[in-house]
C-alpha cells in the first residue's frame, strides 16, 4: 500500500457523469448485455516485440471500448489501454496454451511488478503465458493532475471497473483469435476484485484466482485502512451542502417503501429516517439516479480558496495489534479528522457526527450497489474459482459481508494467516500455485477442448 495523499479530493464526481455511469452499470453487470459491447474482432495493435532465451515479450495497445460507449468520461490519458504479453518460446502442449490476464492492485503502476513477481515465474514453473493490463488512472494512463494512485473522484472507481471489464473482453477475444487458451484472470487486492468482475462477463469457463479481495469493495473504503485516506470532509460538504438535493433524497427514501404513495414527514422524522436508511439510499441512488443530482454544488469555489488543502498531514494507515503477522486495525473514520480546517464551524458535535455517519453509509450503499459481486452475473463454471483471503486483513474487512461461496457456490476459498501486506510479501508462491492449480483443474474438467491455430478455425 503506497503512502499517498487523500483520495477523492474533488468529491463524488461530475453529476452528469455519475448519472451516465449508473445507467451503464445496469448493462455491464449483465453478461448477456455486456458481452455484446465488444466485438470478437475488436482491433488490437502490437507495437513491440522482444525475444530472450526463454520467453517473448510483446507490447501493445487498443482504444478502450469504454470510450465508444461512454464518450467524454474517461480522461484522455486513459483512453488508450496499454498491455504487455509474456509468451513461452515454445508451448509445452500445442493444444494447451494457458493465458492469464493479471489485473493491477492499488499502487501497481506500469508492468514491472506483475511481470517480475507473477508472470515470469508462472511461465517458468508451468508454461502459463500472461497478459499484463495497465490500469486506467495508473502509469501512462494516469491523469496529469492526479498524484500517484490517489483517485480524484469517487466516480473514478466506477469508471475504472467499467473500463477493465470491457478491456478484459477485448484481450480474451484477442487470445481466442490467436488460438490461445484456456484463459484465466487473477489479481491482488483491488486487482483481485477487478479480475472477479471481469470474469463474470465471459460466456465460457474461465480460471479465476482473486487474491486478497472479497465480495464487495464497500468495506475497503468505509471500514478498512483505506477509509483513513479519504477526503471525507469534501464528500460531506458536497453531500450535505445542497439542501435541494438532500430534500429530494429524503423524499426518495420515504417513497421507496411505496413508490405510488408519497408520505409527508416532519423535518425531525425525515432526519431520523435519512440517518437510518442512508445505506439503502446509496443503493437506491445508484439504481435510480435522482434527477436533482445535477443541482449538486461542485464546490469549485471552495476548492480554489482552500489553500491549505494540499498541506494536510500524511495519513496514518495502520496501528499494530500484536495479534500476529501483519495484524492491523483500521483507524475508523479517521479520514473525517484529517482535514478539520475544511469542516464548517457551525453546528454541534452531535449534528456533525450524524452528518458524518450518513455520508459514510451513503458511500457504502453506492459502493455495494456498484461493486458487490452479487449484482453481477455468476461465472460460467464457479469450480474454476480459487479465491485466497487473509485472515487478519484490515484493508479488506469481511465483517458483515456476504461470503463468496454464497454468491459463487462451488468456488474454493482459502485463508492465509496474516494481514494484507504481510500476505502479499510472504505468500506470492501460494498465489502462483493457485493459478497453476486453476489451469490444471480446467484441463481435467474440459479435456476435450482443443485450441486450434487461426488457420484451422
Amino acid at each position: 500500500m503506497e503512502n499517498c495523499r487523500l483520495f477523492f479530493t474533488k468529491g463524488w464526481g461530475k453529476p452528469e457523469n455519475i448519472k451516465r455511469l449508473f445507467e451503464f452499470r445496469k448493462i455491464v453487470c449483465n453478461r448477456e448485455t455486456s458481452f455484446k459491447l465488444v466485438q470478437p474482432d475488436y482491433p488490437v495493435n502490437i507495437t513491440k516485440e522482444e525475444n530472450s532465451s526463454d520467453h517473448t515479450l510483446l507490447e501493445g495497445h487498443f482504444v478502450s471500448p469504454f470510450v465508444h460507449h461512454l464518450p467524454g468520461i474517461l480522461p484522455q490519458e486513459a483512453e488508450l489501454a496499454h498491455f504487455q504479453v509474456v509468451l513461452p518460446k515454445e508451448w509445452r502442449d500445442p493444444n494447451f496454451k494457458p493465458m492469464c490476464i493479471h489485473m493491477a492492485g492499488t499502487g501497481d503502476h506500469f508492468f514491472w511488478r506483475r511481470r517480475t513477481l507473477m508472470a515470469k515465474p508462472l511461465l517458468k514453473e508451468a508454461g502459463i503465458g500472461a497478459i499484463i493490463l495497465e490500469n486506467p488512472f495508473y502509469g501512462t494512463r494516469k491523469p496529469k493532475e492526479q498524484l500517484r494512485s490517489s483517485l480524484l473522484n469517487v466516480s473514478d472507481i466506477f469508471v475504472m471497473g467499467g473500463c477493465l471489464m470491457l478491456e478484459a473482453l477485448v484481450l480474451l477475444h484477442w487470445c481466442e483469435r490467436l488460438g490461445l487458451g484456456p484463459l484465466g484472470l487473477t489479481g491482488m487486492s483491488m486487482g483481485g476484485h477487478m479480475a472477479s468482475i471481469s470474469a463474470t462477463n465471459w460466456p465460457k469457463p474461465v480460471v479465476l484466482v482473486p487474491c486478497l479481495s472479497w465480495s464487495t469493495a464497500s468495506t475497503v473504503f468505509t471500514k478498512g485502512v483505506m477509509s483513513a485516506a479519504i477526503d471525507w470532509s469534501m464528500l460531506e460538504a458536497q453531500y450535505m451542502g445542497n439542501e435541494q438535493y438532500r430534500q429530494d433524497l429524503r423524499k426518495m427514501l420515504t417513497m421507496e417503501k411505496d413508490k405510488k404513495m408519497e408520505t409527508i414527514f416532519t423535518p425531525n422524522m425525515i432526519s431520523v429516517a435519512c440517518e437510518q436508511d442512508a445505506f439503502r439510499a446509496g443503493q437506491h441512488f445508484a439504481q435510480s439516479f435522482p434527477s436533482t443530482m445535477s443541482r449538486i454544488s461542485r464546490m469549485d469555489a471552495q476548492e480554489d480558496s482552500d489553500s491549505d488543502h494540499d498541506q494536510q498531514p500524511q495519513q496514518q494507515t495502520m496501528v499494530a495489534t500484536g495479534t500476529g503477522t501483519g495484524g492491523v486495525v483500521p483507524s475508523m473514520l479517521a479520514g473525517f479528522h484529517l482535514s478539520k480546517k475544511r469542516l464548517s464551524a457551525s453546528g454541534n458535535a452531535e449534528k456533525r457526527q450524524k452528518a458524518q455517519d450518513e455520508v459514510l453509509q451513503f458511500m457504502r450503499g453506492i459502493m455495494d450497489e456498484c461493486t458487490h459481486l452479487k449484482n453481477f452475473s455468476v461465472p460460467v463454471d464457479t469450480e474454476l474459482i480459487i479465491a485466497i483471503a487473509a485472515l487478519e486483513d484490515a484493508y479488506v474487512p469481511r465483517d458483515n459481508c456476504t461470503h463468496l461461496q454464497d454468491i459463487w457456490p462451488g468456488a474454493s476459498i482459502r485463508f492465509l494467516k496474516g494481514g494484507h501486506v504481510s500476505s502479499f510479501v510472504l505468500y506470492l508462491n501460494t498465489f502462483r500455485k493457485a493459478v497453476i492449480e486453476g489451469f490444471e483443474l480446467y484441463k481435467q474438467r474440459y479435456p476435450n477442448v482443443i485450441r486450434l491455430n487461426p488457420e484451422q478455425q
Side-chain angles (χ1 to χ4, degrees), residues 221-382:
F221 294 101
T222 59
K223 287 186 175 182
V225 169
M226 282 285 292
S227 67
I230 292 176
D231 192 347
W232 290 106
S233 59
M234 169 57 79
L235 298 181
E236 181 187 347
Q238 287 191 338
Y239 179 84
M240 305 297 291
N242 187 294
E243 182 63 25
Q244 182 61 56
Y245 168 64
R246 291 174 60 203
Q247 290 293 338
D248 286 349
L249 176 58
R250 290 167 176 172
K251 180 179 179 180
M252 180 184 69
L253 287 173
T254 63
M255 294 178 64
E256 187 174 347
K257 293 181 180 179
D258 186 351
K259 295 181 180 180
K260 296 181 180 180
M261 181 180 298
E262 179 177 344
T263 305
I264 306 299
F265 288 98
T266 66
N268 183 60
M269 293 171 64
I270 291 176
S271 179
V272 172
C274 197
E275 291 158 14
Q276 293 176 341
D277 291 338
F279 168 70
R280 194 156 48 93
Q283 288 186 308
H284 189 75
F285 177 86
Q287 293 171 345
S288 53
F289 190 92
S291 61
T292 53
M293 183 66 177
S294 61
R295 298 196 292 272
I296 291 181
S297 171
R298 299 183 190 175
M299 308 296 291
D300 289 339
Q302 179 177 340
E303 180 75 11
D304 294 338
S305 64
D306 287 333
S307 58
D308 65 333
H309 179 65
D310 289 333
Q311 301 175 14
Q312 300 299 334
Q314 293 282 354
Q315 61 172 7
Q316 296 296 318
T317 57
M318 299 184 292
V319 292
T321 64
T323 57
T325 305
V328 294
V329 293
S331 179
M332 297 298 289
L333 305 183
F336 278 124
H337 307 293
L338 290 176
S339 49
K340 289 184 178 179
K341 292 181 181 179
R342 307 261 336 250
L343 300 179
S344 170
S346 63
N348 56 39
E350 182 180 357
K351 184 177 181 180
R352 291 219 41 76
Q353 186 61 50
K354 287 182 179 181
Q356 293 170 359
D357 291 344
E358 184 177 330
V359 171
L360 185 80
Q361 291 304 316
F362 188 72
M363 167 73 94
R364 182 171 182 182
I366 292 179
M367 285 288 179
D368 254 346
E369 185 61 34
C370 295
T371 70
H372 205 299
L373 295 178
K374 68 182 180 181
N375 296 326
F376 295 79
S377 298
V378 176
V380 172
D381 187 349
T382 56

Side-chain angles (χ1 to χ4, degrees), residues 59-344:
E59 289 192 7
H61 65 259
F62 55 90
V63 177
S64 176
F66 192 89
V67 175
H68 305 307
H69 298 292
L70 285 181
I73 291 183
L74 190 63
Q76 186 174 2
E77 299 91 337
E79 290 184 351
L80 208 60
H82 298 269
F83 65 95
Q84 284 189 348
V85 184
V86 182
L87 296 170
K89 299 296 290 185
E90 185 175 344
W91 293 100
R92 300 179 182 184
D93 182 343
N95 293 323
F96 187 74
K97 303 176 181 179
M99 291 291 296
C100 188
I101 297 177
H102 296 256
M103 296 290 191
T106 302
D108 189 355
H109 295 253
F110 305 106
F111 309 109
W112 181 89
R113 188 184 303 177
R114 284 169 287 164
R115 187 179 68 237
T116 303
L117 300 179
M118 291 293 289
K120 284 187 175 181
L122 281 171
L123 187 69
K124 182 178 181 180
E125 295 166 13
I128 298 174
I131 297 180
I132 309 165
L133 177 61
E134 190 170 49
N135 221 29
F137 301 96
Y138 279 17
T140 58
R141 306 182 72 183
K142 182 177 73 69
K144 295 178 181 178
E145 59 181 331
Q146 177 183 305
L147 180 63
R148 297 191 291 275
S149 309
S150 301
L151 301 182
L152 298 173
N153 305 287
V154 174
S155 60
D156 292 345
I157 289 289
F158 310 137
V159 173
M160 182 187 295
C163 277
L164 290 173
M165 292 178 74
L166 299 184
E167 291 165 13
L169 285 177
V170 172
L171 294 171
L172 292 169
H173 278 306
W174 182 71
C175 285
E176 284 204 333
R177 295 205 303 270
L178 295 178
L180 303 175
L183 306 175
L185 298 100
T186 189
M188 299 184 197
S189 191
M190 180 182 70
H193 197 78
M194 294 301 177
S196 295
I197 62 175
S198 297
T200 65
N201 279 342
W202 190 242
K204 302 175 185 179
V206 61
V207 175
L208 174 60
V209 183
C211 305
L212 306 179
S213 63
W214 201 237
S215 57
T216 177
S218 65
T219 54
V220 173
F221 294 101
T222 59
K223 287 186 175 182
V225 169
M226 282 285 292
S227 67
I230 292 176
D231 192 347
W232 290 106
S233 59
M234 169 57 79
L235 298 181
E236 181 187 347
Q238 287 191 338
Y239 179 84
M240 305 297 291
N242 187 294
E243 182 63 25
Q244 182 61 56
Y245 168 64
R246 291 174 60 203
Q247 290 293 338
D248 286 349
L249 176 58
R250 290 167 176 172
K251 180 179 179 180
M252 180 184 69
L253 287 173
T254 63
M255 294 178 64
E256 187 174 347
K257 293 181 180 179
D258 186 351
K259 295 181 180 180
K260 296 181 180 180
M261 181 180 298
E262 179 177 344
T263 305
I264 306 299
F265 288 98
T266 66
N268 183 60
M269 293 171 64
I270 291 176
S271 179
V272 172
C274 197
E275 291 158 14
Q276 293 176 341
D277 291 338
F279 168 70
R280 194 156 48 93
Q283 288 186 308
H284 189 75
F285 177 86
Q287 293 171 345
S288 53
F289 190 92
S291 61
T292 53
M293 183 66 177
S294 61
R295 298 196 292 272
I296 291 181
S297 171
R298 299 183 190 175
M299 308 296 291
D300 289 339
Q302 179 177 340
E303 180 75 11
D304 294 338
S305 64
D306 287 333
S307 58
D308 65 333
H309 179 65
D310 289 333
Q311 301 175 14
Q312 300 299 334
Q314 293 282 354
Q315 61 172 7
Q316 296 296 318
T317 57
M318 299 184 292
V319 292
T321 64
T323 57
T325 305
V328 294
V329 293
S331 179
M332 297 298 289
L333 305 183
F336 278 124
H337 307 293
L338 290 176
S339 49
K340 289 184 178 179
K341 292 181 181 179
R342 307 261 336 250
L343 300 179
S344 170

